[in-house]
Amino acid sequence: MKLSKQFPLNALRVFESVARFGSFTKAGDELGMTQTAVSYQIKLLEENIGEPLFLRRPRQIELTEAGEHLAPKVSEAFNILIEAMASMRKATEETLTIHSTATFAQQWLSRYIGAFQLQFPDIAVRLVTSGNIVDFQKEAADVAIRWGRGDWPGLISHCIMKLDFAPMLSPKLAAEIGGVHEPADLLKLPLISAGDPWWAQWFAAAGVKDADLSRYPKSEFGTQILDASIAMAGGGVAMLNPGHFQEDVATGRLYQPFELTGNDGRDYWLAYPENRRNVPKIRNFRKWLLEKFNVEQD
Amino acid sequence: MKLSKQFPLNALRVFESVARFGSFTKAGDELGMTQTAVSYQIKLLEENIGEPLFLRRPRQIELTEAGEHLAPKVSEAFNILIEAMASMRKATEETLTIHSTATFAQQWLSRYIGAFQLQFPDIAVRLVTSGNIVDFQKEAADVAIRWGRGDWPGLISHCIMKLDFAPMLSPKLAAEIGGVHEPADLLKLPLISAGDPWWAQWFAAAGVKDADLSRYPKSEFGTQILDASIAMAGGGVAMLNPGHFQEDVATGRLYQPFELTGNDGRDYWLAYPENRRNVPKIRNFRKWLLEKFNVEQD
DNA sequence: TTTCATGGATAAGTTCTCTTTATGGATGCA
DNA sequence: TGCATCCATAAAGAGAACTTATCCATGAAA
């Protein structure tokens, strides 16, 4: 049996409106349906209950005793439902959930998100950092900031930052070995997250052909943030994205000995589901973020 | 726009069940639908709200924060609705509304309805007497007792009493004219409701050919009860149904001078809508009434 | 490890509810 | 008397909602 047959919910909704207006026609207007449809639904409900809910008087209707009894409860129930749905919709409309890599969140978002909130005080920001690629189908994410090739199906992606990489270390550590003059000098120092293919790629690009990286510990710290912290503490050389750490370089916490950067074709992207591109909070965030990065808008 | 589109009520109902069971499959069982249909409805609701309500974990699902927020309110609202509908159904199930002619109600029902209530203490009886033929479509009537030919479309009818008619008067009035010996004697007395075609029919059947009824006042009292009261008070001769007034005849309040009765093909019927023949209260009343009148049951 | 059982997602097709259009009837008002 | 209002009914069409069939992932059992 169909659900709507056992419990005529839509008919109840129509009934609520009719009881309020005392008119089939007006209720139809409110609900965006014809008077005929209203008549049909009321008849349905009356059949379901087993007695009339309205007395059909000429040019007006009147609640029967039964209808009089039913109306306030139905009204109360629908008010609860409507309010619950409204507050839910409002919450999702006004909360922007950003999924981001830990590095981008800490190095960039944490610094500028305040400006966004000043500009859009009605939008509450929820920032989620996780290592995994977010599945917009399954999680309540509005936008994601991720690195990759920007070719995710079903998503719109804007490249916001080249994900270049270059070796960085603390100035102090560099001084200890008498300065880093050429790429091969780096091999004298501990390489952080040496298993990362970026190392091999960068050394190849720098003309160091026989770099044996296998002798370094295979530790992976997962985020550049951790690698950077270790490097700043003098623990070795980290392969970092200059875009993220330019401030640390400027203030002398980190030192980038060579201009040469690598890029493996993967960059930083802002991404969001194609079908939600016009949701206001998403549009606002996209516009704000792309302006910050001087990206051409579409 | 469709009503169900602006406000997915059925989806909410499904959601309530799923939230309670923590399972699409179990909710489907409860609602009498397949797991697939449940999945569809939940997806619909999630799209409407704009974020997931359940986290799909391997062999179980879990409410998201949003779902957790929505569930109790939805549950509350539906409890109100369910309870309201149930109490309404219960009221209509347990109240038997009988529409009857005033005469039958006063002469017969008033005497025996007590026995029915003793036998079915759970059924509350509401007795409505009205001159009009009841429209089961428009009024909250369960059964009707009416006279006619029993050929009402959409209704089941049981003939419970022949609607014969015979002249009756008070014994005292009869004595005043030296007794009523032959039908024509009646013409010496005032005929009550003389405009009623029953008079002409009865006199014709009695062999009184030239009865001029036009000289009597045309008053119509509408119910036999009133005619009978006037007759008992010695106000004239009334054309009454012996079945209704046998007790008054037995106790001498009325006198029926001739055995001859007329019948115009219309009798007393119990009637109720065909599609409600199996409603318990109706079935019980029918059985009880037909037994009282020794009518063959089907 | 392989197999089985559980629970949900997806695709495609079908049913039938719900809606609309068109029309009629009843009543009140000018 | 004619017009406007309001609800009821009939017929037909649209599309929502449901089902069947199938697949996938996971956890438990053999």
Side-chain angles (χ1 to χ4, degrees):
Chain A
M1 193 195 301
K2 293 281 165 56
L3 185 52
S4 52
K5 227 10 185 193
Q6 341 171 14
F7 204 92
L9 273 172
N10 288 318
L12 280 169
R13 172 128 174 75
V14 172
F15 167 74
E16 189 275 338
S17 181
V18 174
R20 193 150 31 80
F21 284 113
S23 156
F24 284 24
T25 310
K26 293 215 186 71
D29 290 345
E30 181 186 54
L31 300 171
M33 58 207 285
T34 58
Q35 169 267 125
T36 312
V38 174
S39 175
Y40 172 82
Q41 292 289 348
I42 295 297
K43 181 187 278 190
L44 218 63
L45 185 59
E46 289 178 331
E47 273 168 17
N48 183 290
I49 288 178
E51 66 180 305
L53 295 166
F54 295 99
L55 291 171
R56 273 70 165 181
R57 303 223 171 284
R59 294 173 67 89
Q60 68 177 356
I61 53 173
E62 199 179 308
L63 281 165
T64 59
E65 200 182 324
E68 202 78 66
H69 195 247
L70 185 61
K73 308 217 176 144
V74 172
S75 172
E76 184 194 355
F78 278 110
N79 281 340
I80 293 173
L81 282 182
I82 289 168
E83 205 215 329
M85 288 287 284
S87 86
M88 179 110 321
R89 287 215 184 91
K90 195 172 173 207
T92 57
E93 265 166 29
E94 297 183 350
T95 301
L96 177 75
T97 301
I98 307 170
H99 274 238
S100 166
T101 60
T103 309
F104 188 84
Q106 190 166 336
Q107 293 299 103
W108 198 93
L109 280 176
S110 64
R111 213 164 288 165
Y112 298 107
I113 200 65
F116 178 75
Q117 293 191 286
L118 275 179
Q119 194 173 337
F120 299 98
D122 290 338
I123 301 180
V125 172
R126 216 177 104 219
L127 186 54
V128 180
T129 63
S130 73
N132 307 320
I133 296 275
V134 64
D135 181 345
F136 285 98
Q137 301 287 313
K138 298 190 176 168
E139 295 192 56
D142 294 309
V143 301
I145 290 164
R146 279 286 176 275
W147 47 267
R149 299 180 193 281
D151 53 358
W152 300 290
L155 302 185
I156 293 180
S157 322
H158 303 271
C159 182
I160 51 175
M161 186 194 275
K162 297 302 286 179
L163 182 44
D164 297 334
F165 45 86
M168 297 201 188
L169 66 166
S170 76
K172 194 158 150 266
L173 186 61
E176 278 175 17
I177 61 163
V180 177
H181 305 292
E182 56 185 58
D185 291 344
L186 293 172
L187 295 168
K188 302 173 191 163
L189 294 166
L191 302 188
I192 301 166
S193 294
D196 194 317
W198 285 358
W199 279 113
Q201 194 184 333
W202 188 85
F203 275 119
V208 181
K209 294 214 171 64
D210 50 354
D212 174 20
L213 302 173
S214 61
R215 62 195 174 91
Y216 299 98
K218 282 283 177 290
S219 324
E220 286 276 350
F221 301 108
T223 80
Q224 290 196 11
I225 286 292
L226 286 173
D227 289 13
S229 301
I230 295 169
M232 286 185 227
V237 189
M239 187 60 78
L240 301 174
N241 170 18
H244 274 144
F245 297 94
Q246 56 194 32
E247 181 152 324
D248 296 289
V249 171
T251 56
R253 280 196 294 273
L254 282 175
Y255 164 54
Q256 178 182 347
F258 308 102
E259 282 300 316
L260 175 70
T261 59
N263 182 295
D264 64 356
R266 294 186 296 179
D267 298 302
Y268 260 92
W269 300 79
L270 165 69
Y272 46 85
E274 205 169 341
N275 54 18
R276 301 196 67 210
R277 65 179 170 285
N278 285 320
V279 174
K281 62 182 179 180
I282 292 178
R283 202 165 42 199
N284 286 332
F285 182 73
R286 175 191 60 201
K287 188 162 182 292
W288 175 81
L289 189 74
L290 298 191
E291 270 169 9
K292 283 283 177 193
F293 281 104
N294 296 310
V295 175
E296 196 71 24
Q297 307 263 340
D298 47 15
Chain B
M1 191 197 299
K2 292 281 169 56
L3 186 53
S4 52
K5 217 38 177 179
Q6 350 171 6
F7 205 91
L9 274 173
N10 287 319
L12 280 170
R13 171 126 173 73
V14 172
F15 167 73
E16 189 275 338
S17 183
V18 174
R20 193 149 32 80
F21 285 112
S23 156
F24 285 24
T25 309
K26 293 216 186 72
D29 289 345
E30 182 186 54
L31 299 171
M33 57 208 285
T34 58
Q35 169 268 125
T36 311
V38 174
S39 175
Y40 171 79
Q41 291 289 347
I42 295 297
K43 181 187 278 188
L44 218 65
L45 184 60
E46 289 179 331
E47 272 168 17
N48 183 290
I49 288 177
E51 67 180 302
L53 294 166
F54 295 97
L55 292 171
R56 273 70 165 180
R57 301 225 172 283
R59 290 162 62 95
Q60 64 180 359
I61 53 174
E62 199 179 309
L63 281 165
T64 60
E65 198 180 328
E68 203 79 66
H69 196 247
L70 185 61
K73 306 213 177 150
V74 172
S75 171
E76 183 192 354
F78 278 110
N79 281 340
I80 292 173
L81 282 182
I82 288 168
E83 205 214 329
M85 287 287 284
S87 86
M88 179 110 322
R89 288 214 182 93
K90 194 172 172 208
T92 58
E93 265 167 29
E94 298 183 350
T95 301
L96 177 74
T97 300
I98 308 172
H99 274 239
S100 166
T101 60
T103 308
F104 188 84
Q106 190 166 334
Q107 293 300 104
W108 198 92
L109 280 177
S110 63
R111 215 165 287 164
Y112 298 106
I113 198 68
F116 177 76
Q117 294 191 285
L118 276 179
Q119 195 175 335
F120 299 99
D122 290 340
I123 302 181
V125 172
R126 216 177 105 219
L127 185 55
V128 180
T129 63
S130 74
N132 308 319
I133 295 276
V134 62
D135 182 345
F136 285 98
Q137 303 285 314
K138 297 188 175 167
E139 296 193 56
D142 294 308
V143 300
I145 290 165
R146 277 288 176 275
W147 47 268
R149 299 179 193 282
D151 53 357
W152 300 289
L155 302 186
I156 292 180
S157 323
H158 303 269
C159 181
I160 51 175
M161 187 194 276
K162 296 302 287 179
L163 182 45
D164 297 333
F165 43 87
M168 296 198 188
L169 66 166
S170 77
K172 197 159 148 263
L173 185 61
E176 278 174 16
I177 61 162
V180 177
H181 304 293
E182 56 186 58
D185 291 344
L186 293 171
L187 295 168
K188 302 172 191 163
L189 296 166
L191 301 188
I192 301 165
S193 293
D196 193 315
W198 285 358
W199 280 112
Q201 194 184 332
W202 188 87
F203 276 120
V208 181
K209 296 215 168 65
D210 51 352
D212 173 20
L213 302 173
S214 60
R215 63 197 171 90
Y216 300 97
K218 281 284 175 293
S219 325
E220 287 275 351
F221 300 108
T223 80
Q224 289 195 11
I225 286 291
L226 285 173
D227 291 12
S229 301
I230 295 168
M232 285 185 226
V237 190
M239 187 60 76
L240 302 174
N241 171 17
H244 274 144
F245 295 96
Q246 57 194 32
E247 182 152 324
D248 296 291
V249 171
T251 57
R253 281 195 295 271
L254 282 175
Y255 165 54
Q256 179 182 345
F258 308 102
E259 281 301 313
L260 175 72
T261 58
N263 183 295
D264 64 355
R266 295 186 294 181
D267 298 301
Y268 260 92
W269 299 80
L270 164 69
Y272 46 86
E274 204 169 341
N275 55 18
R276 302 194 68 213
R277 64 180 170 285
N278 285 321
V279 175
K281 62 182 179 180
I282 292 179
R283 203 163 42 197
N284 287 332
F285 183 73
R286 175 190 61 202
K287 186 160 183 295
W288 175 83
L289 189 74
L290 298 191
E291 268 169 12
K292 282 282 179 198
F293 282 104
N294 297 310
V295 175
E296 197 69 22
Q297 308 263 342
D298 47 14

